[in-house]
């Protein structure tokens, strides 16, 4: 019998997961539900869904299906559009001036390798389980509902704050493109509001709402628009690269502007500067993870997703390395403007000031593409969170005419536009990045766990036998990576520091080798898997811990605040909505048993 015919209708699931079930039918019912919170937490917090459930019963809660209209060129375009935004124009200057010097090219290559390792982990999940939930779905089937909800909630907030910040920066870059240097000329000052919240940016709001309408209308058309904008943006980047190599001087790769106060050479600050620069520029790669959320709309996931995700990371790495090399040739590293390195290099050149206007136009297009891809991704995250029952099922609805998650897209679009209307860029940027790196870390751990823990649901003993050594390895390896990071950040330079770093690296390698030799894999991916298991995901874990250690204290304060807020929402609402949805699904499964012998 067709399982899809046995799924509840959207109207039925609206009541199950969306707040209209037994736990929320009245204040008295909600009071009884709160009294049962410890028991429900024990039942639901670590409850892991199966991939089959995610792709059938859970997906059916959206009603209509999303259209499978994307192919690997669309995914490559979305990956390029999501990663190559305006951030690279700023990040490159800061990493070069403050840390790596001309060796920022090597920093970009290292960061690209880190991104590729994480992309492999995402790809294995996306091919095996082509649903729209991305990391939320991957963690839900691996570590359970609570871990998925906390990381998913933080990731949604990262997307919202990042998109609002990027939309406000669009005003600045658009002004540069048309010769208006001060973005405040395009913003409306509101007296009486606190500083940082007193300039209304209607341009940013208009851009967000326009993109929201586009992604609500059609995913395929949104991809086509992204392809056109990304192609033009890449042409701008190639123009910048050519101008840099043409106008540049290879002597700037080794000679500082002020040799008396700044060291020279290609590696002016040694290996430490290169790796610190890699930690900074890695943020320019964030965006490829949004491609995995499009898996439910891909024609042939086993072919298109590996090419789309990995191919976009490789192409972006090549573009970034060429951009970094061209910028390092334009000026000595200690003369680079950290805020506007490329346009600043041409503003002072007689007759070449127009190039900065071209750079502003290119960056503006990059902002539009990165915004579109990020908003496509965040809407699908929220849609699947709604499907899972931990958020209102209204968010999970897929419009049958457009085949897109219209409700989730519109909700996030309005929320993001409201933030971008008032809040200044610097305030928003302090709240970005840590959640994304944490999710990359969790997905790498999840790939290892799924490979080495028994897959059969009825083999509880086998699951326990594989889970204990796997969890012990993941914990020990993360602790070793943390020790390496702390030594790198805090220990004074010298022989003792070098010895400790080598010891930590050797301990990490020994742990991976021992785990691989002693613990057999419980499952093998049928279509596509991460190569060199568990070395590749272990390297991703190690590098993400290292990059997390490079973030500042306010980032961790924000992460702790939002994680606590998400935990409170889970305890007061989500666990009860999820419990109701599970009870309804159990009743439905009982009805299925009666029809087991029916053949259609």
């Amino acid at each position: 019998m067709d399982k899809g015919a046995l799924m509840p209708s959207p109207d039925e699931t609206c009541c199950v997961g969306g707040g209209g079930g037994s736990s929320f039918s009245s204040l008295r019912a909600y009071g009884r539900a709160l009294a049962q919170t410890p028991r429900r937490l024990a039942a639901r917090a670590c409850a892991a869904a199966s991939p089959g459930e995610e792709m059938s019963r859970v997906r059916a809660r959206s009603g209509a299906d999303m259209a499978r209209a994307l192919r690997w060129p669309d995914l490559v375009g979305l990956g390029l559009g999501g990663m190559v935004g305006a951030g690279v124009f700023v990040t490159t200057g800061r990493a070069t001036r403050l840390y790596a010097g001309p060796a920022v090219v090597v920093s970009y290559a290292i960061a690209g390798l880190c991104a590729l390792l994480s992309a492999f982990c995402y790809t294995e999940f996306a091919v095996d389980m082509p649903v729209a939930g991305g990391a939320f779905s991957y963690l839900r089937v691996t570590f359970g509902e609570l871990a998925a909800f906390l990381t998913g909630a933080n990731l949604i907030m990262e997307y919202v704050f990042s998109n609002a910040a990027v939309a406000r920066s669009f005003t600045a870059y658009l002004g540069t493109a048309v010769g208006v240097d001060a973005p405040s000329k395009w913003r409306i000052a509101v007296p009486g509001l606190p500083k940082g919240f007193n300039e209304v940016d209607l341009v940013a709001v208009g851009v967000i709402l326009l993109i929201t309408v586009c992604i609500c209308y059609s995913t395929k058309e949104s991809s086509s628009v992204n392809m056109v904008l990304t192609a033009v943006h890449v042409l701008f980047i190639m123009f910048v690269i050519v101008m840099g190599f043409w106008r540049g001087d290879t002597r700037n790769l080794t000679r500082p502007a002020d040799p008396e106060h700044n060291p020279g050479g290609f590696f002016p600050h040694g290996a430490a500067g290169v790796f610190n620069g890699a930690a900074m520029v890695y943020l320019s790669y964030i965006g490829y993870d949004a491609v995995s959320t499009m898996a439910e709309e891909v024609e042939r996931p086993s072919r298109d997703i590996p090419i789309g995700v990995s191919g976009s990371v490789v192409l972006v790495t090549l573009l970034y390395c060429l951009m970094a090399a061209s910028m390092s040739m334009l000026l000595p590293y200690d003369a680079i403007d950290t805020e506007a390195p490329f346009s600043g290099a041409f503003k002072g050149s007689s007759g070449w000031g127009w190039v900065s206007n071209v750079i502003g136009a290119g960056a503006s297009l990059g902002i539009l593409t990165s915004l579109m891809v990020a908003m496509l991704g965040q809407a699908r995250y929220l849609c699947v969170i709604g499907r899972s029952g931990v958020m209102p099922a209204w968010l999970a609805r897929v419009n049958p005419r457009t085949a897109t998650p219209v409700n989730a897209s519109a909700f996030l679009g309005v929320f993001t536009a409201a933030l971008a209307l008032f809040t200044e860029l610097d305030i928003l940027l302090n709240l970005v990045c840590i959640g994304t790196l944490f999710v990359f870390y969790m997905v790498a751990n999840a790939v290892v766990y799924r490979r080495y823990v028994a897959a059969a649901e009825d083999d509880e003993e086998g699951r326990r036998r594989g889970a204990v050594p796997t969890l012990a390895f993941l914990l020990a390896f993360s602790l070793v990576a943390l020790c390496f990071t702390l030594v790198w950040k805090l220990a004074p330079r010298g022989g003792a520091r070098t010895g400790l770093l080598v010891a930590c690296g050797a301990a990490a390698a020994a742990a991976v080798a021992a785990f691989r030799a002693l613990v057999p894999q419980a499952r093998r991916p049928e279509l596509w898997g991460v190569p060199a298991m568990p070395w590749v995901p272990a390297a991703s874990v190690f590098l993400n811990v290292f990059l997390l250690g490079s973030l500042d204290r306010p980032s961790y304060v924000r992460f702790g605040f939002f994680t606590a807020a998400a935990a409170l929402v889970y305890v007061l609402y989500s666990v009860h909505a999820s419990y109701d949805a599970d009870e309804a699904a159990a009743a439905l499964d009982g009805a299925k048993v009666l029809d087991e012998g029916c053949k259609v």
Side-chain angles (χ1 to χ4, degrees):
M1 185 175 181
D2 181 12
K3 291 184 178 181
L6 295 172
M7 300 304 150
S9 69
D11 292 333
E12 293 169 332
T13 56
C14 177
C15 295
V16 172
S22 59
S23 294
F24 306 96
S25 58
S26 66
L27 285 176
R28 179 175 295 180
Y30 182 60
R32 286 196 300 266
L34 287 180
Q36 298 175 18
T37 297
R39 181 171 66 85
R40 294 186 174 191
L41 280 173
R44 297 301 308 160
C46 295
S50 69
E53 286 180 317
E54 286 289 314
M55 292 188 290
S56 57
R57 176 168 61 84
V58 173
R59 189 167 68 178
R61 292 173 180 168
S62 287
D65 289 334
M66 297 186 196
R68 289 195 176 275
L70 302 180
R71 304 179 69 181
W72 68 263
D74 296 290
L75 298 185
V76 171
L78 289 168
L80 286 171
M83 284 182 277
V84 187
V88 64
F89 289 97
V90 177
T91 305
T92 307
R94 291 177 179 173
T96 304
R97 178 75 178 265
L98 302 178
Y99 297 112
V104 70
V105 177
V106 182
S107 296
Y108 267 114
I110 293 171
L113 176 62
C114 298
L116 190 61
L117 296 178
S118 289
F120 283 158
C121 299
Y122 270 84
T123 300
E124 177 170 324
F125 272 113
V127 170
D128 183 54
M129 192 173 61
V131 294
F136 174 82
S137 294
Y138 310 155
L139 296 176
R140 188 166 180 257
V141 302
T142 307
F143 296 128
E145 184 175 276
L146 179 59
F149 180 79
L150 294 180
T151 51
N154 265 286
L155 194 56
I156 289 291
M157 294 309 298
E158 296 288 343
Y159 268 122
V160 169
F161 284 125
S162 175
N163 291 343
V166 169
R168 284 186 73 92
S169 70
F170 176 81
T171 306
Y173 280 101
L174 185 62
T176 301
V178 299
V180 180
D181 289 336
S184 59
K185 294 180 180 178
W186 287 14
R187 293 172 180 159
I188 303 171
V190 181
L193 292 178
K195 182 176 175 57
F197 300 90
N198 60 343
E199 288 189 352
V200 173
D201 194 330
L202 296 177
V203 175
V205 172
V207 166
I208 291 173
L209 294 181
L210 184 63
I211 292 176
T212 300
V213 171
C214 183
I215 66 176
C216 285
Y217 177 71
S218 169
T219 301
K220 183 62 178 179
E221 273 68 20
S222 298
S223 173
S224 299
V225 171
N226 172 74
M227 290 280 278
V228 173
L229 293 176
T230 299
V232 178
H233 183 215
V234 170
L235 289 177
F236 274 107
I237 288 176
M238 295 304 298
F239 171 78
V240 171
I241 292 170
V242 170
M243 291 298 297
F245 279 99
W246 180 27
R247 294 275 298 167
D249 185 346
T250 55
R251 289 177 294 181
N252 289 331
L253 295 174
T254 55
R255 183 184 61 187
D258 186 4
E260 292 186 5
H261 297 91
N262 297 302
F266 187 71
F267 297 92
H269 301 295
V274 171
F275 282 101
N276 287 331
M280 176 171 285
V281 301
Y282 183 76
L283 302 180
S284 300
Y285 286 90
I286 289 176
Y288 65 83
D289 57 307
V291 177
S292 70
T293 67
M294 313 304 295
E296 196 170 313
E297 297 157 270
V298 175
E299 284 186 5
R300 293 178 57 185
S302 61
R303 179 201 64 184
D304 296 334
I305 293 175
I307 297 174
V309 177
S310 301
S312 61
V313 172
V314 171
L315 288 176
V316 166
T317 301
L318 179 61
L319 286 175
Y320 283 171
C321 288
L322 290 173
M323 286 184 72
S326 69
M327 188 203 65
S328 298
M329 291 172 62
L330 280 170
L331 289 172
Y333 79 91
D334 55 342
I336 289 173
D337 183 351
T338 57
E339 296 302 319
F342 292 97
S343 59
F346 288 100
K347 275 185 178 179
S349 301
S350 177
W352 292 92
W354 59 273
V355 177
S356 64
N357 298 81
V358 175
I359 292 172
S364 301
L365 285 175
I367 289 173
L368 291 178
T369 59
S370 62
L371 265 178
M372 179 170 289
V373 175
M375 292 177 71
L376 280 166
Q378 72 176 10
R380 279 140 189 82
Y381 272 120
L382 191 59
C383 172
V384 174
I385 291 175
R387 285 179 186 173
S388 69
V390 295
M391 291 297 285
W394 174 83
L395 294 168
R397 296 288 184 83
V398 171
N399 186 285
R401 187 176 62 84
T402 64
T404 60
V406 171
N407 293 348
S409 301
F411 173 79
L412 288 170
V414 172
F415 187 23
T416 305
L419 275 177
L421 181 63
F422 290 101
T423 313
E424 193 51 71
L425 176 65
D426 292 339
I427 295 172
L428 290 168
L429 287 179
N430 287 333
L431 306 173
V432 174
C433 295
I434 187 170
T436 305
L437 290 173
F438 181 72
V439 172
F440 292 169
Y441 164 81
M442 291 292 291
V443 170
N445 279 283
V447 167
V448 176
Y449 186 87
R450 286 198 79 224
R451 283 279 199 103
Y452 286 87
V453 177
E457 295 182 6
D458 56 352
D459 187 9
E460 190 62 33
E461 183 179 348
R463 288 179 63 85
R464 284 199 300 269
R465 191 166 53 247
V468 172
T470 303
L471 289 174
F473 161 70
L474 293 175
L475 177 61
F477 189 82
S478 293
L479 289 175
V480 172
L482 180 60
C483 290
F484 181 93
T485 303
L486 292 176
V487 171
W488 180 276
K489 296 290 289 183
L490 303 177
R493 294 189 179 186
R497 177 178 183 266
T498 302
L500 287 172
L501 292 174
V502 170
C504 288
V512 178
F515 177 72
R516 185 179 187 185
L518 298 175
V519 182
Q521 291 190 40
R523 75 177 82 205
R524 301 278 181 176
E526 296 180 4
L527 300 173
W528 195 95
V530 175
M533 180 64 73
W535 290 99
V536 167
S540 180
V541 168
F542 193 96
L543 292 168
N544 278 298
V545 170
F546 180 78
L547 294 171
L548 282 166
S550 70
L551 300 178
D552 55 11
R553 182 175 175 274
S555 297
Y556 284 94
V557 172
R558 185 220 62 84
F559 183 72
F561 172 79
F562 278 115
T563 300
L568 186 63
V569 171
Y570 184 79
V571 169
L572 295 180
Y573 172 81
S574 298
V575 70
H576 307 294
S578 173
Y579 186 85
D580 290 343
D582 188 61
E583 292 283 298
L588 186 63
D589 288 339
K592 285 185 189 180
V593 173
L594 298 177
D595 293 333
E596 197 67 37
C598 178
K599 295 181 180 180
V600 177

